[in-house]
Amino acid sequence: MHVNSMLKDYFTDLEAGLGKKLAEKVTARRTFIHEIARIGTRMFDPDWATAWTTVFVPFEILNAMGVSGLFIEFVGAMLAGAGVSRPFFERAEQEGYSTDGCSYHRTIIGAALNGMLPEPDLLIAASFPCNGGVKALKRIGEIYNKDVFIINSPYRDTPDSIDYLVQQYESLIDFVHEKTGRNLDDEKLKQAIRYNNEGREYLIDAFELCKQVPSPANSDDWKNFVIYALLSGTEEGVAVARTYRDELQRRIDDGVAGVPGEQHRLLWVQNRLQFKTDLIEILEKQYKTNIVIDELNYVYWDKLDEGDPLRSLATRQVRHPLVGPVERRLKYLVQMAREFKVDGVINPSHWGCRQSAGVRGLFKDAFQKIGIPLIHLDVDCVDERNYARGQMLTRLEAFMELLES
Amino acid sequence: MASTENDKIGWLCSYTPVEIITAAGFEPNRISGHNEPPRVADTYMSSNMCQFVRSVIDMVAEGNYDNLRGVIFVNSCDPMRRLHDVWQHIRPDQFLYMIDLPIHQSPADQAYFTQEIARLRDALEQFSGHEITDDAIVQAIQSYHQAREIYYALLAARGNIPARLSTMELDAITERFFNSSIEEWTKDAKIILNKKSVVKKAQVVGHKPRILLAGSPVHDHGLVSMIQDSGMDVVFENTCTGSRFFEIIVDETGNPIHDLGAAYFNKPSCARMMQLPDRANFIIEKAKEFSVDGIIHFALKFCDTYQYDVPELKKILEEAGLNVLTIEVDCLGSNVGQLKTRFESFKEMLENKEG
């Protein structure tokens, strides 16, 4: 398949550019994005097998098998961030995909149809957080004539459900072996669990620092940190987490606030806007407002057990806040709002995201009960063709007036 | 077992093993929402959810399902999970139960689904305070088996050329199945099947293009009426509100929970089960069996489950030589003019092809 070199160039340039900057000065954000860029370049590296996945799959297993996992929403976000997604939307629409579907997924379908992406070795989808992701990977599987392994993520947190998920992880390992010839090295998996635990401790410390008022981090320091999942169980992941912890501690020691003169602290629900906007800049500079915690960055899982890695990973998946009834998610959201002392919540209510938009009224209700206002932006986080800046700023202004009153 | 108005348990998805509800002494009652633009649902969920889910929220909020003792959901799609959450928010006092439905890949998935049915039995036993015996489940299985056989006989009468039963008659019978006790329905349906008047209804009015309607559940019969009024004849409905619920054959092996698990899990799949080639093949097979001239694929607006299938499904069906019209509908009332035009054009195209 012809592969457009634009994507390869993008990741290669990003990796090289950040490499140079890191040589000048190490920052947590640079270290993080540099590692992510390195993962991006692996798509073009014949020494690595590549798996395209949905957002929450056990990357530790893949890493331990020498498979570089990339979740498609990440690629969709990256294309939007680079401002190049328009032709992919148009291609998907020409093929008959509805514009009401999630734009993270439509971008990647369009990009695959346009031959923009290197052929993956594997396709792995989990049935949570959404069905749309599974559907998108199925369609991509048809484009490349490849099977898609689906992880049925159980709805309930019970011992039986965890047993069932462990069974599926075992089948996943067989699937990866069958498709790539790579075996699972048990010792590598145990090491991945150790790295995960080590990184987790650093992250807990780092987020603990952000609970301070003012927060040492600014709104963009943790932007899209959900992508850290790709580094789960790796030495590089530990280094990234440690760098964040150290840098934030240093800022506190030096009396440096993430947003100087921080007046308002916000919780951001689910994903950020992926295309370039001045929304964050306006929040920070005009309103002295800081996004101090993103929902998806929260360390919700317990320490993993290297003695029983698969069960441990299955337990983590079954207990994810986005699995099961929304009560669990609301509980975590409220907990985050309290712990991080936020005085407002932004829910982008991403167009096309049924799993989240289907309970937006319940989000509002949950925060109302603890006296914290929430705004739904009603925006498409990826498809900037629908972005109405003026309208967005008017709504934001009204929300900020509410916070200031 | 005779049921009263207060013994109804609601259900929504064709993967709901209604035999368990019946065996528990309740009357399964299919929830179908309403056919108008949403009224209060947008207070709870975004407007980019399908009309079906939003209309059900309206009905819950307005107290129209207060008569139900409980509701059985299936983890079939994101909006269905959210419907469950919003329903619980509005009516925390009602018995609400979610059946988890895996996508079929291995025997472990079927075993898990079977376990889910056993769990449903336990939950209903706890809720009702009565044991649900294997004998009661077997009896329910047999009742539904008989009903499904009658449905197929009626469907065959519908599929005959010329038809011995009209589309709208069959739709009315199907709808009644979802909203009455199995005993009453079976009794009435038998009468219809045996009635000589059915034969008299045979119409030879010239050939109308024969249509297989596939896609999202059709809760508004106005859609079928509109297709009929456009001069076409819907002879098979491959939807969860049409034949799909009846395409279940329970092999009795002595373990009724296991038998129900196998039967429901292995029935011809809907779009949710992510087996597009199987779904396409089933449509192709039925199109041949029912001498179909064209396929109308209906996807509810905002229904990812069916929308994501449309481009590839259309391609497969067209490669198989079928004529395909794909439509997307939010609330039928707001689309009448445009749909009518599209149906008429499709009909003309089919007639031109027939020469």
Side-chain angles (χ1 to χ4, degrees):
Chain A
M1 166 176 280
H2 166 71
V3 176
N4 190 313
S5 64
M6 193 193 82
L7 197 63
K8 187 179 178 183
D9 292 347
Y10 174 83
F11 278 119
T12 308
D13 292 349
L14 187 63
E15 186 186 345
L18 282 165
K20 273 185 195 167
K21 284 186 177 176
L22 279 167
E24 292 162 15
K25 187 186 175 189
V26 174
T27 71
R29 186 73 189 169
R30 281 177 189 171
T31 310
F32 172 51
I33 300 298
H34 183 247
E35 289 304 333
I36 295 302
R38 286 181 63 195
I39 289 176
T41 57
R42 284 184 203 157
M43 278 196 278
F44 308 93
D45 183 344
D47 290 340
W48 281 87
T50 306
W52 288 5
T53 72
T54 50
V55 59
F56 300 118
V57 301
F59 291 105
E60 291 84 353
I61 295 175
L62 300 180
N63 285 330
M65 296 185 82
V67 174
S68 183
L70 280 163
F71 58 88
I72 53 173
E73 293 85 354
F74 155 62
V75 182
M78 187 275 303
L79 292 169
V84 297
S85 33
R86 180 181 285 262
F88 311 135
F89 289 130
E90 288 170 355
R91 177 64 195 270
E93 284 153 24
Q94 280 163 15
E95 290 293 316
Y97 288 97
S98 168
T99 51
D100 295 319
C102 174
S103 46
Y104 283 98
H105 300 141
R106 279 189 288 124
T107 324
I108 191 97
I109 290 174
L113 284 166
N114 275 358
M116 262 296 296
L117 301 169
E119 187 169 327
D121 298 290
L122 295 162
L123 295 160
I124 301 161
S127 64
F128 101 102
C130 65
N131 301 127
V134 184
K135 282 274 176 187
L137 268 186
K138 288 293 274 188
R139 297 294 85 85
I140 291 167
E142 283 148 12
I143 295 167
Y144 294 110
N145 195 24
K146 285 191 184 292
D147 296 334
V148 181
F149 186 92
I150 298 173
I151 301 168
N152 286 301
S153 201
Y155 183 78
R156 286 183 192 78
D157 175 7
T158 65
D160 292 347
S161 299
I162 293 168
D163 286 344
Y164 173 49
L165 195 48
V166 169
Q167 269 184 296
Q168 292 183 72
Y169 285 173
E170 286 164 351
S171 301
L172 171 66
I173 292 163
D174 293 342
F175 176 79
V176 174
H177 173 71
E178 184 195 320
K179 300 292 178 190
T180 67
R182 292 169 193 252
N183 292 308
L184 176 70
D185 179 332
D186 288 339
E187 188 43 48
K188 274 190 180 169
L189 183 58
K190 282 184 183 177
Q191 180 60 59
I193 297 295
R194 286 195 287 273
Y195 281 142
N196 187 301
N197 286 335
E198 205 181 335
R200 175 181 169 276
E201 292 296 328
Y202 286 127
L203 289 180
I204 289 172
D205 288 350
F207 286 120
E208 200 58 36
L209 296 172
C210 295
K211 291 176 185 172
Q212 295 199 23
V213 181
S215 169
N218 65 38
S219 304
D220 276 342
D221 279 327
W222 294 108
K223 182 186 173 186
N224 287 341
F225 198 73
V226 65
I227 303 170
Y228 179 82
L230 300 179
L231 298 167
S232 282
T234 66
E235 198 174 359
E236 293 82 1
V238 175
V240 166
R242 188 174 49 234
T243 313
Y244 265 95
R245 196 275 314 264
D246 292 349
E247 184 174 326
L248 295 173
Q249 183 61 60
R250 208 162 39 243
R251 287 188 203 170
I252 287 175
D253 294 344
D254 295 345
V256 176
V259 173
E262 178 189 284
Q263 286 181 15
H264 298 291
R265 299 164 64 84
L266 301 180
L267 158 64
W268 188 283
V269 176
Q270 207 161 312
N271 304 109
R272 296 284 190 92
L273 271 61
Q274 303 299 345
F275 47 85
K276 287 186 173 58
T277 71
D278 54 359
L279 193 78
I280 299 298
E281 194 184 344
I282 290 169
L283 276 175
E284 289 192 344
K285 291 193 174 156
Q286 193 172 329
Y287 297 107
K288 304 289 179 200
T289 295
N290 195 1
I291 296 163
V292 292
I293 180 69
D294 287 68
E295 177 194 15
L296 296 182
N297 293 350
Y298 196 69
V299 181
Y300 68 89
W301 67 95
D302 293 331
K303 186 180 173 189
L304 304 178
D305 176 10
E306 67 172 277
D308 198 352
L310 297 188
R311 181 161 301 275
S312 215
L313 292 169
T315 305
R316 183 185 66 179
Q317 179 156 340
V318 163
R319 294 185 183 160
H320 192 286
L322 267 59
V323 171
V326 78
E327 284 169 350
R328 191 193 299 181
R329 185 177 181 189
L330 295 176
K331 193 185 115 205
Y332 276 107
L333 283 168
V334 166
Q335 189 176 324
M336 269 180 255
R338 285 186 166 135
E339 286 179 4
F340 285 83
K341 304 171 194 73
V342 307
D343 48 2
V345 180
I346 293 187
N347 174 24
S349 202
H350 171 55
W351 186 258
C353 179
R354 323 281 174 224
Q355 66 86 16
S356 203
V359 277
R360 57 188 245 153
L362 274 56
F363 289 153
K364 198 150 199 160
D365 183 74
F367 288 112
Q368 249 169 12
K369 281 181 181 155
I370 57 167
I372 297 177
L374 173 147
I375 183 174
H376 301 297
L377 294 183
D378 292 318
V379 65
D380 190 315
C381 292
V382 176
D383 189 351
E384 65 180 312
R385 294 174 303 172
N386 302 316
Y387 183 64
R389 180 178 177 274
Q391 199 179 12
M392 185 66 58
L393 294 185
T394 306
R395 299 196 61 218
L396 196 65
E397 192 179 352
F399 182 64
M400 294 314 299
E401 277 172 16
L402 179 70
L403 291 190
E404 284 171 7
S405 64
Chain B
M1 192 179 296
S3 57
T4 70
E5 184 62 22
N6 294 326
D7 289 331
K8 290 181 176 173
I9 293 268
W11 61 282
L12 299 115
C13 169
S14 67
Y15 281 89
T16 311
V18 288
E19 288 86 345
I20 300 289
I21 302 174
T22 300
F26 297 105
E27 182 185 307
N29 197 266
R30 190 161 197 171
I31 288 163
S32 54
H34 63 68
N35 304 323
E36 296 151 19
R39 297 184 283 263
V40 296
D42 292 357
T43 315
Y44 301 97
M45 49 177 52
S46 168
S47 58
N48 65 9
M49 308 295 281
C50 74
Q51 196 271 345
F52 170 62
V53 161
R54 285 191 292 156
S55 74
V56 172
I57 294 294
D58 276 353
M59 302 276 279
V60 177
E62 291 164 356
N64 292 300
Y65 294 130
D66 286 356
N67 63 322
L68 298 177
R69 292 286 304 281
V71 185
I72 312 297
F73 297 80
V74 173
N75 182 9
S76 55
C77 63
D78 302 328
M80 203 50 72
R81 280 198 296 279
R82 300 295 82 104
L83 174 62
H84 165 272
D85 295 331
V86 174
W87 195 314
Q88 191 158 58
H89 177 81
I90 299 171
R91 287 296 310 268
D93 55 314
Q94 268 182 328
F95 168 76
L96 306 182
Y97 192 83
M98 177 69 81
I99 301 171
D100 205 2
L101 175 66
I103 291 155
H104 195 174
Q105 292 183 126
S106 75
D109 302 321
Q110 184 173 318
Y112 177 75
F113 181 67
T114 302
Q115 204 174 34
E116 281 294 291
I117 297 179
R119 213 190 281 269
L120 170 67
R121 173 166 75 173
D122 294 347
L124 279 169
E125 278 183 345
Q126 204 179 349
F127 172 64
S128 67
H130 303 296
E131 187 190 358
I132 304 171
T133 64
D134 279 0
D135 284 348
I137 300 172
V138 168
Q139 198 183 331
I141 287 173
Q142 288 167 355
S143 297
Y144 279 94
H145 178 73
Q146 188 188 9
R148 287 182 177 119
E149 284 198 328
I150 293 169
Y151 176 85
Y152 265 87
L154 291 165
L155 185 63
R158 173 69 208 93
N160 283 353
I161 304 174
R164 289 188 293 119
L165 190 70
S166 76
T167 297
M168 298 316 290
E169 277 174 312
L170 184 61
D171 269 9
I173 293 167
T174 308
E175 190 175 9
R176 217 157 45 241
F177 179 88
F178 295 135
N179 295 300
S180 57
S181 76
I182 188 72
E183 294 85 358
E184 285 166 25
W185 185 87
T186 304
K187 196 173 122 199
D188 293 348
K190 265 185 189 167
I191 293 168
I192 296 170
L193 188 63
N194 294 329
K195 254 173 140 179
K196 286 183 182 174
S197 61
V198 171
V199 180
K200 281 180 192 165
K201 279 184 184 166
Q203 296 167 0
V204 185
V205 288
H207 180 71
K208 288 181 179 176
R210 294 164 67 82
I211 298 298
L212 185 152
L213 177 64
S216 303
V218 180
H219 291 285
D220 186 345
H221 293 294
L223 180 70
V224 175
S225 297
M226 206 185 290
I227 298 170
Q228 296 286 126
D229 292 347
S230 302
M232 297 180 283
D233 203 4
V234 177
V235 294
F236 193 84
E237 290 180 47
N238 174 230
T239 66
C240 292
T241 44
S243 68
R244 200 174 287 137
F245 178 78
F246 298 91
E247 289 150 1
I248 296 167
I249 300 163
V250 186
D251 287 329
E252 293 187 56
T253 66
N255 181 340
I257 296 289
H258 179 271
D259 297 342
L260 285 171
Y264 275 84
F265 204 56
N266 294 306
K267 74 189 178 86
S269 63
C270 66
R272 153 62 168 73
M273 298 308 267
M274 312 280 174
Q275 309 297 344
L276 181 53
D278 291 350
R279 188 160 87 88
N281 287 338
F282 185 82
I283 292 172
I284 293 165
E285 190 187 301
K286 288 295 170 189
K288 280 183 194 153
E289 188 184 330
F290 283 79
S291 308
V292 158
D293 300 300
I295 311 290
I296 296 181
H297 187 272
F298 159 72
L300 266 173
K301 191 169 173 65
F302 308 120
C303 173
D304 289 339
T305 302
Y306 282 89
Q307 293 281 7
Y308 270 103
D309 278 7
V310 168
E312 184 65 16
L313 178 67
K314 189 167 189 279
K315 194 174 120 197
I316 298 173
L317 297 179
E318 285 178 344
E319 280 171 3
L322 292 164
N323 303 297
V324 184
L325 172 68
T326 62
I327 57 168
E328 178 186 291
V329 178
D330 187 6
C331 180
L332 197 57
S334 57
N335 287 272
V336 170
Q338 192 197 25
L339 275 178
K340 207 166 167 242
T341 308
R342 294 193 67 199
F343 289 151
E344 283 167 0
S345 305
F346 189 57
K347 180 207 152 203
E348 280 170 26
M349 189 270 283
L350 294 177
E351 286 175 340
N352 289 340
K353 279 204 170 183
E354 282 168 15

